[in-house]
Amino acid sequence: MSMNAVVYKGEREVAVEEVEQPQIEHPNDVVIDITTTCICGSDLHMYEGRTAAESGIVFGHENMGIVTEVGDAVTSLEEGDRVVAPFNVACGFCENCENGYTGFCTNVNPGFAGGAYGYVAMGPYKGGQAEELRIPYADFNALKLPDGDEHEDSFALLADIFPTGWHGTELANLESGDSVAIYGAGPVGLMAAYSAKLKGAAEIYVVDRVPSRLELAEEHCDATPINFEEGDPVEQIKDIHGGGVDKGVDAVGYQAIDPEKQGDDAYDPARENPAVVINNLIRTVRPTGELGIPGLYVPDDPGAPDEMAAQGRLGIDFGLLFEKGQALGTGQCNVKEYNRELRDMIVEGRADPSWVVSHRVDLEDAPKMYEKFDNREEGVTKVLLEP
């Protein structure tokens, strides 16, 4: 039996093709009918040919749907349950999982700490930009949701970007009353700003260059927008704040644009500087402040601007970091650490991240939406696909 899925074909090319339907492979598995799956900024790294991803990968690590098949060993789920799956695939019983570090499970992807759906080097798990998905270790990995279709957009964001934005503020140990600068107003940056608002941050600064995204940060997160194309973002923030902020979040990662570099267009790779955001954060955050870095960095980058960056080695101002006594936290989000409480906040009306969703389209429209999202077109913030 076959189904439709979004398949990576090569640099900047995906297609909706027929692939084999998932089946129960282990008694701990369930299979779900996908109701909503999302395009993620992390997918763009593969889409742009900036990873070792090979043609044929089924994309999609932000998935939710209805359980249709249940393995014999599954005890907490049954057919008809509505669930959202963290992008992490985790076993639940290795040392890291037991300690809450489900993004770094040591059992699901031999030789690598961490597994995920539909992502290069993250294990053999097919993605969910498709009609169906297999969830392994389902009792552990599937989060049950209220029946029906209420909060569909918000619940879909529990798979990745809402917890990941929250994680960025956790890595920086953001507390009520803190001031914070968030670099990047893509979906994760916007969710980091929203998380900072929910946590009671006193001042929130969001740095980007896309006006529509900065407007969302201002409208929904009470953030001060900083356009880095209009001047040094560090100086802009310090002019307003009067010195370094308490905390900082990097929601950009290794394909960061350096406003000091020139190129043919806004996102010309010639303008890239993979260390610019971390270095700007070191300058932006006050002495003894803390940095959270959930933005993606990789150990090798085939499209890097220089030989050093191609090996994942960055020119970070470590001397200044040391001089200022700053601390930093890094790494992908352990979604299960946050998704239950964030789900309950949505159910109770205390959080509603659905404002970040700009498009909900049919799965067939995925190739067109990948192109628009990759071009950072105005008004394209978060794209949800509906098989």
Side-chain angles (χ1 to χ4, degrees):
M1 297 286 287
S2 63
M3 66 172 182
N4 287 328
V6 177
V7 179
Y8 176 62
K9 307 300 288 183
E11 185 176 331
R12 287 188 164 83
E13 184 184 359
V14 295
V16 177
E17 296 182 345
E18 287 193 359
V19 302
E20 191 174 342
Q21 276 183 306
Q23 297 178 341
I24 299 291
E25 298 178 17
H26 187 277
N28 289 330
D29 293 346
V30 300
V31 173
I32 65 171
D33 267 345
I34 295 287
T35 56
T36 300
T37 179
C38 317
I39 299 177
C40 181
S42 299
D43 292 326
L44 295 184
H45 298 302
M46 295 187 292
Y47 176 75
E48 293 174 359
R50 296 293 293 271
T51 70
E54 296 181 357
S55 178
I57 288 181
V58 175
F59 281 171
H61 58 268
E62 302 182 24
N63 311 303
M64 66 178 291
I66 306 297
V67 175
T68 57
E69 294 182 64
V70 181
D72 291 342
V74 175
T75 60
S76 64
L77 299 168
E78 57 187 36
E79 288 184 23
D81 281 345
R82 183 189 189 202
V83 300
V84 61
F87 76 85
N88 318 114
V89 177
C91 72
F93 51 81
C94 70
E95 184 175 4
N96 281 347
C97 283
E98 286 187 347
N99 289 329
Y101 298 115
T102 55
F104 302 89
C105 177
T106 54
N107 278 333
V108 296
N109 189 11
F112 194 95
Y117 303 97
Y119 212 87
V120 60
M122 298 300 282
Y125 309 100
K126 295 286 197 303
Q129 289 175 14
E131 294 177 295
E132 297 180 47
L133 176 73
R134 178 179 74 95
I135 300 177
Y137 301 103
D139 283 314
F140 187 67
N141 286 315
L143 178 69
K144 286 178 69 169
L145 303 169
D147 292 338
D149 57 9
E150 193 175 11
H151 307 303
E152 182 82 8
D153 287 1
S154 289
F155 286 151
L157 305 182
L158 290 173
D160 185 351
I161 66 163
F162 192 14
T164 295
W166 192 275
H167 183 59
T169 66
E170 288 286 306
L171 288 171
N173 288 319
L174 179 75
E175 297 179 350
S176 177
D178 280 346
S179 54
V180 61
I182 295 158
Y183 279 74
V188 168
L190 290 171
M191 288 295 97
Y194 187 52
S195 298
K197 176 185 175 180
L198 292 171
K199 289 183 172 188
E203 296 173 68
I204 304 168
Y205 300 90
V206 174
V207 181
D208 205 285
R209 62 167 299 281
V210 181
S212 61
R213 294 181 172 187
L214 290 170
E215 288 164 10
L216 285 173
E218 186 173 21
E219 178 182 356
H220 295 281
C221 309
D222 301 329
T224 300
I226 304 292
N227 190 325
F228 68 72
E229 299 283 21
E230 297 176 359
D232 183 345
V234 180
E235 295 306 319
Q236 288 189 64
I237 292 170
K238 288 185 174 180
D239 284 347
I240 301 168
H241 181 69
V245 297
D246 298 313
K247 306 292 169 61
V249 175
D250 171 2
V252 180
Y254 73 108
Q255 286 186 252
I257 295 297
D258 190 335
E260 300 297 317
K261 288 189 171 186
Q262 301 300 312
D264 292 336
D265 58 50
Y267 290 99
D268 188 333
R271 300 190 70 202
E272 287 186 15
N273 173 358
V276 68
V277 168
I278 295 177
N279 287 335
N280 278 343
L281 276 176
I282 293 169
R283 293 170 57 213
T284 304
V285 173
R286 65 173 173 80
T288 72
E290 296 177 81
L291 284 55
I293 306 175
L296 179 66
Y297 290 86
V298 292
D300 61 276
D301 172 13
D306 59 65
E307 187 175 338
M308 190 166 134
Q311 301 170 36
R313 301 168 65 206
L314 311 183
I316 294 172
D317 297 332
F318 193 82
L320 183 59
L321 177 86
F322 180 90
E323 181 183 276
K324 296 179 80 170
Q326 293 170 336
L328 59 83
T330 69
Q332 69 176 357
C333 178
N334 310 298
V335 172
K336 274 186 63 69
E337 189 168 1
Y338 316 114
N339 66 351
R340 190 178 297 271
E341 64 182 284
L342 296 179
R343 175 201 64 186
D344 293 347
M345 288 170 69
I346 292 168
V347 170
E348 294 301 322
R350 300 185 184 279
D352 180 6
S354 63
W355 54 265
V356 79
V357 175
S358 58
H359 293 75
R360 173 179 277 278
V361 301
D362 291 340
L363 188 71
E364 298 293 330
D365 294 325
K368 176 178 66 179
M369 296 313 299
Y370 262 95
E371 184 177 357
K372 288 178 178 291
F373 190 39
D374 186 47
N375 290 334
R376 280 76 168 177
E377 288 189 14
E378 281 288 341
V380 181
T381 351
K382 187 63 177 176
V383 179
L384 275 50
L385 303 175
E386 192 174 309

